[in-house]
Amino acid sequence: MGSRKCGGCLSGLLIPLALWSITVNILLYFPNGQTSYASSNKLTNFVWYFEGICFSGVMTLLSIIFSALGIAFSGYCLVISALGLVQGPYCRTLDGWEYAFEGTAGRFLTDSSIWTQCLEPAHVVEWNIILFSILIVLSGLQVIVCLIKIIIQLSKILCGTYSVIIQPGII
């Protein structure tokens, strides 16, 4: 029981420790707050190994960051796909090449009788509706999965169930 509470405290410290490691490593580049040493390459060699930034800091936060990026990029795909679906396809009509359904606010989606306004490419309305809809579903699922992953990772870190497993023979 005591080890579980201690593990929770230690795991909860991972994020602030990682952030401090990044901050301290950055400060190493500016002795006495001056940039001249870094610009003239007059720093200790080991400062350039980025140990506090890359390994102690970023690697701890990396899985959460990638999940957050997954949410951002999947969310972007979801929004753009929805906008593409509502706007309709770019096609050749009797008036030339245009967005034939742009002013309909997506009403063309439920009125298949007006889809024939698009003369070329053949079946472009159906093509756009099906593929943009698939993208919306897929990116929505990706957002949900990434969000669940972040919640699980944060709960492990903050509640003390995060563990680093070292396989025998590796170290």
Side-chain angles (χ1 to χ4, degrees), residues 117-145:
Q117 288 180 23
C118 281
L119 304 173
E120 187 182 347
H123 308 290
V124 70
V125 178
E126 295 93 334
W127 183 259
N128 276 20
I129 290 173
I130 290 168
L131 294 179
F132 276 130
S133 296
I134 290 171
L135 276 176
I136 289 169
V137 170
L138 292 175
S139 58
L141 289 172
Q142 289 171 342
V143 167
I144 292 168
V145 167

Side-chain angles (χ1 to χ4, degrees), residues 32-82:
N32 296 321
Q34 298 175 359
T35 60
S36 61
Y37 298 105
S39 61
S40 63
N41 198 20
K42 293 180 181 170
L43 296 173
T44 305
N45 287 338
F46 288 102
V47 170
W48 298 106
Y49 291 170
F50 306 108
E51 69 282 356
I53 295 172
C54 296
F55 302 102
S56 182
V58 173
M59 296 307 282
T60 304
L61 303 173
L62 205 54
S63 62
I64 294 172
I65 291 169
F66 281 135
S67 294
L69 286 174
I71 289 172
F73 295 144
S74 299
Y76 175 82
C77 180
L78 190 141
V79 169
I80 297 300
S81 298

Side-chain angles (χ1 to χ4, degrees), residues 6 10 13 16 18 23 26 28 82 97 105 109 112 140 143:
C6 181
L10 294 176
L13 290 174
T23 303
I26 290 170
L28 282 170
W97 286 89
L109 293 168
S112 61
V143 167

